[in-house]
């Protein structure tokens, strides 16, 4: 149950005082009313309320004590009603505390949405839906899911993992190509395949991942192969590269198509001879590693565009593994959603749930960013929810994918002006949000103040 301290003198807006009393004098919120600001401040010295609503008079003698208490009670939500007179010290504290400040004349609807609805939501949110505390996602190595495409991938990895074959992993951004590489690495163990004994690479063997697009062309050769002291300006000591550090393990080259052509030639030498030479050295070193590579591009298209050498592709691609996009994985979307939410609840010791409407929305979204985007979307909803993730708590691009709110769903006459299109989008979204301006602004990706100004403008035009 939330605890709210309120000080609204008789001089305050009577309708606002009545609204607060009627709305919050319920079991969900414990409201304590004070006759004077001094009495409220004295109570704050003993108890730390969840909310404090104060009608502020900057000429009041207790204002300095109020500012001091605001700095001390950091978790409290401060709601301040002012006449708008400039007061730098007050404004500074209000900013630091992220207080909600209403300046007269006070917009009653904004007060309802930003204060009363928020307080109610904190108390009833935990009761909406069943808390997600267990995962429904099966797991194989570092990979999650049990859809048909993923089961086919697991069978392929089971056969390739124990070998030392180079594997080229292809898949869209966010599908989990590095997780595939880590799973292949972990599957390495002594075995006999095709009459050839293979060495172990799992267990304590190192796994070294390199994003070829994240390193400058000047540094990537040194990062991979190392350098000797004095090889170039700034090389004050010998440096052991990735291939040396991964001795007996796996080197994973992510986004291989971003590697400069000049370095691809040197990598080809490693693939052909099993040897490499540190920058500035006159001696070759043996590369005792398994090489895995990945790209989110079409390999043949990358070859035609000069992004990937054909000879190095065929050396790397002894086997090609394609990771399915999330939109092709069916019920895995639901399972992954519960998995990520259960992890968040465990890590934060919370009991957040997700509404059926939001879950259905997540299930039907096309997820261009794949598993990574889904994970971020659930984290986004988790942080914005009041205990139950609703559609409006999801990222704007996920909400916008709903056919019922997409611009394409509007019936647009030919030659409609942009301002008319904007008005239609705002009014239609407001209707779908049942008049809730806070949710409408969030869905449209604009501030509540911008939405308020637009609605005031439309009202003035209709009056005219």
């Amino acid at each position: 149950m939330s605890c709210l301290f309120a000080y609204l003198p008789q001089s305050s807006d009577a309708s606002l005082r009545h609204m607060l009393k009627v709305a919050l004098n319920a079991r969900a919120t414990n409201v304590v009313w004070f006759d004077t600001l001094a009495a409220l401040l004295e109570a704050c010295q003993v108890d730390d309320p969840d909310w404090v609503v104060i009608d502020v008079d900057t000429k009041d003698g207790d204002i300095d004590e109020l500012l001091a208490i605001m700095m001390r009670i950091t978790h409290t939500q401060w709601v301040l009603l002012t006449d708008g007179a400039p007061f730098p010290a007050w404004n500074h504290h209000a900013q630091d505390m992220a207080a909600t400040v209403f300046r007269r004349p006070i917009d009653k609807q904004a007060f309802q949405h930003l204060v009363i609805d928020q307080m109610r939501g904190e108390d009833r949110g935990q009761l909406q839906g069943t808390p997600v505390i267990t995962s429904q996602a099966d797991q194989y190595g570092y990979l999650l899911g049990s859809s048909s495409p993923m089961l086919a991938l697991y069978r392929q990895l089971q056969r390739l993992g124990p070998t030392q074959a180079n594997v080229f992993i292809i898949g869209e951004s966010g599908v989990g190509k590095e997780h595939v590489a880590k799973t292949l690495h972990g599957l390495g163990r002594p075995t006999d395949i095709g009459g050839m004994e293979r060495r172990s690479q799992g267990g304590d063997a190192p796994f070294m991942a390199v994003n070829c697009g994240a390193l400058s062309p000047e540094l990537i050769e040194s990062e991979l192969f190392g350098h000797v002291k004095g090889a170039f300006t700034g090389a004050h000591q010998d440096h052991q590269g990735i291939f040396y550090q991964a001795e007996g393990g796996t080197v994973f080259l992510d986004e291989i198509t971003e590697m400069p052509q000049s370095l691809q030639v040197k990598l080809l030498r490693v693939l052909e001879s099993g040897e490499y030479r540190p920058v500035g050295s006159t001696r070759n070193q043996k590369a005792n590693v398994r090489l895995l590579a990945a790209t989110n591009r079409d390999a043949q298209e990358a070859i035609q565009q000069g992004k990937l050498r054909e000879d190095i592709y065929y050396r790397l691609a002894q086997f090609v593994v394609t990771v399915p996009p999330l939109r092709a994985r069916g019920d895995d979307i639901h399972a992954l959603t519960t998995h990520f939410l259960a992890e968040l609840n465990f890590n934060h010791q919370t009991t957040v749930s997700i509404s059926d409407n939001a879950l259905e929305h997540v299930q039907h979204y096309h997820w261009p960013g794949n598993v990574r985007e889904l994970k971020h979307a659930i984290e986004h909803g988790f942080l914005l929810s009041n205990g139950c993730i609703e559609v409006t708590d999801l990222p704007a691009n996920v909400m916008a994918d709903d056919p019922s709110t997409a611009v394409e769903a509007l019936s647009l006459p030919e030659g409609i002006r942009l301002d008319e299109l904007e008005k239609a989008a705002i009014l239609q979204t407001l209707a779908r949000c049942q008049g809730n301006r806070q949710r409408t602004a969030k869905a449209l990706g604009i501030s509540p103040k911008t939405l308020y100004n637009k609605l005031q403008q439309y009202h003035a035009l209709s009056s005219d």
Side-chain angles (χ1 to χ4, degrees), residues 99-223:
T100 304
V101 181
F102 292 94
R103 297 182 173 89
R104 293 187 179 85
I106 295 170
D107 183 339
K108 305 298 192 304
Q109 192 171 21
F111 189 86
Q112 173 78 35
H113 294 328
L114 292 176
V115 180
I116 294 176
D117 288 352
Q118 179 71 12
M119 288 188 215
R120 285 175 166 173
E122 286 183 354
D123 292 304
R124 69 169 181 261
Q126 298 293 338
L127 304 177
Q128 297 177 357
T130 304
V132 179
I133 56 176
T134 58
S135 169
Q136 297 177 19
D138 295 332
Q139 184 168 347
Y140 181 75
Y142 286 83
L143 300 166
L144 297 165
S146 53
S147 60
S148 296
M150 292 304 288
L151 293 178
L153 175 63
Y154 299 160
R155 287 193 292 271
Q156 195 174 14
L157 299 184
Q158 281 179 330
R159 296 298 298 161
L160 294 176
T163 75
Q164 291 306 304
N166 298 326
V167 178
F168 199 83
I169 305 167
I170 297 176
E172 298 175 6
S173 293
V175 294
K177 296 186 289 295
E178 185 168 342
H179 289 333
V180 171
K182 286 181 177 180
T183 300
L184 282 168
H185 169 75
L187 286 167
R189 60 187 182 276
T191 186
D192 188 343
I193 294 181
M196 298 178 62
E197 181 70 21
R198 303 296 188 182
R199 60 177 169 77
S200 172
Q201 90 175 126
D204 297 329
F207 175 88
M208 304 295 295
V210 182
N211 188 323
C212 299
L215 295 175
S216 68
E218 295 78 17
L219 292 178
I220 191 169
E221 182 176 2
S222 174
E223 283 296 314

Side-chain angles (χ1 to χ4, degrees), residues 7 33 43 56 89 132 138 151 245 250 284 337 359-360 405 410:
Y7 168 62
W33 293 89
V56 179
V132 179
D138 295 332
L151 293 178
Q245 297 173 50
T250 302
N284 290 343
T337 299
L359 196 57
E360 183 180 1
T405 59
L410 296 171

Side-chain angles (χ1 to χ4, degrees), residues 113 390 392 399 429 432-434 436-444 451:
H113 294 328
E390 300 289 353
T392 51
M399 286 191 294
T429 306
R432 286 204 174 90
C433 292
Q434 299 178 325
N436 187 314
R437 294 188 185 181
Q438 188 72 7
R439 287 171 51 200
T440 301
K442 188 188 296 184
L444 292 169
L451 176 62

Side-chain angles (χ1 to χ4, degrees), residues 1 13 18 57 68 105 117 168 291 299 311 352 364 417:
M1 177 183 291
D13 188 322
H18 178 73
D57 182 354
D117 288 352
F168 199 83
L291 203 57
D311 48 6
V352 175
H364 290 95
R417 298 200 314 269

Side-chain angles (χ1 to χ4, degrees), residues 391-410:
V391 174
T392 51
D393 297 321
L394 299 172
N397 58 312
V398 178
M399 286 191 294
D401 196 61
D402 183 0
S404 66
T405 59
V407 174
E408 291 79 8
L410 296 171

